[in-house]
Amino acid sequence: MYEKEIERLQEIIDGSSRIVFFGGAGVSTESGIPDFRSADGIYHQTYKYSPEQVVSHSFFLRCPEAFYEFYKDKMMLLDAKPNPAHLKLAELEKAGKLSAVVTQNIDGLHQAAGSRRVYELHGSIHRNYCMDCGKFYDADYVKKSEGVPRCTCGGMIKPDVVLYEEGLDEGTIHGAVHAISQADTLIIGGTSLVVYPAAGFIDYFRGRHLVVINKSETGKPVRAELSISAPIGEVLGQIRV
């Protein structure tokens, strides 16, 4: 299954030297991390508050206890391991084929797999800071804290993740857009392309080959040379470097 598509993807990768990968939640579902928008994703589950409401800046400030109850349980899956997609992308970077990963994920699995140039558009669960003094705390500290994690100074700790109502980091935006604009091949994987402004970044691509690997159709129309409707780890795991 997908033999011809994977064979074509192999040809594209073999002929490319500045690949950029743009990925979303579907890249990490094969590592056991639930996505948000698929039929069994977090947004389709029932909670006291809607997930969209919980992961907003105003809700975080207003109800930090409820925020952290949801955040620790559903978004801090610290035992998750990189899957074949993460590992292959790191391998492609090491081989000098892939120049950057642009991810909407906050799980840090690309770095865990060995990727070095990763633009985390929505931040990372592995970076947390006191809102009063700015002291850094790792994910383990936050996960193990009872209730709302507090700094030694008494201030509340906030994850370095982009919540609804918050803007993206300007430096990350610049790096991601520059990488995409300089790429000869853009591979879009595991994303529905409905979250903005992130989804709009692919419009900066001016290269030769545009590939989409996603189990369902993307919300944003993409004129891809090659589309593969399959789990991304299953596809990239068959690529030879």
Side-chain angles (χ1 to χ4, degrees):
M1 203 172 185
Y2 313 114
E3 289 91 350
K4 287 185 178 179
E5 290 91 341
I6 292 173
E7 185 179 322
R8 178 58 188 144
L9 176 60
Q10 183 74 62
E11 291 173 355
I12 291 172
I13 289 174
D14 288 345
S16 303
S17 58
R18 294 188 312 281
I19 302 169
V20 168
F21 178 80
F22 182 96
V27 179
S28 292
T29 53
E30 291 170 81
S31 293
I33 296 179
D35 68 359
F36 276 66
R37 289 179 173 77
S38 68
D40 55 353
I42 288 175
Y43 281 175
H44 293 276
Q45 298 175 26
T46 304
Y47 298 99
K48 184 178 179 182
Y49 304 99
S50 71
E52 294 99 327
Q53 187 180 5
V54 175
V55 293
S56 68
H57 180 80
S58 55
F59 187 90
F60 170 77
L61 295 178
R62 189 173 69 250
C63 306
E65 296 86 358
F67 170 86
Y68 268 112
E69 183 181 0
F70 176 88
Y71 179 74
K72 291 179 189 179
D73 183 43
K74 295 298 180 183
M75 301 178 76
M76 296 193 79
L77 304 180
L78 302 186
D79 293 331
K81 304 295 183 202
N83 63 53
H86 299 106
L87 296 170
K88 188 62 65 175
L89 291 168
E91 195 179 344
L92 286 166
E93 182 186 33
K94 190 175 180 181
K97 305 288 287 182
L98 183 138
S99 56
V101 168
V102 179
T103 180
Q104 299 171 81
N105 297 339
I106 60 173
D107 50 50
L109 290 180
H110 284 293
Q111 290 91 330
S115 290
R116 295 192 174 187
R117 184 169 292 178
V118 182
Y119 295 103
E120 296 173 307
L121 299 178
H122 297 150
S124 172
I125 62 171
H126 297 283
R127 298 187 300 269
N128 306 273
Y129 299 94
C130 172
M131 296 179 71
D132 288 350
C133 73
K135 185 176 178 181
F136 170 86
Y137 288 90
D138 63 15
D140 201 48
Y141 180 89
V142 171
K143 181 83 169 179
K144 291 178 178 176
S145 298
E146 285 201 23
V148 178
R150 295 281 175 181
C151 176
T152 52
C153 78
M156 184 165 68
I157 294 171
K158 181 185 182 298
D160 186 17
V161 299
V162 179
L163 304 176
Y164 287 121
E165 305 161 357
E166 294 179 345
L168 305 190
D169 176 74
E170 288 295 328
T172 304
I173 291 174
H174 178 77
V177 167
H178 180 73
I180 291 170
S181 68
Q182 297 299 306
D184 56 9
T185 293
L186 178 63
I187 301 175
I188 300 169
T191 175
S192 53
L193 292 179
V194 297
V195 177
Y196 282 82
F201 292 174
I202 67 171
D203 295 336
Y204 290 92
F205 177 63
R206 297 289 182 270
R208 289 183 298 153
H209 305 293
L210 180 57
V211 177
V212 173
I213 307 169
N214 201 50
K215 288 199 290 186
S216 58
E217 289 209 9
T218 57
K220 175 183 170 70
V222 177
R223 292 183 179 179
E225 170 186 342
L226 175 65
S227 294
I228 306 176
S229 300
I232 189 163
E234 188 178 304
V235 172
L236 290 185
Q238 298 183 55
I239 295 299
R240 302 179 307 278
V241 178

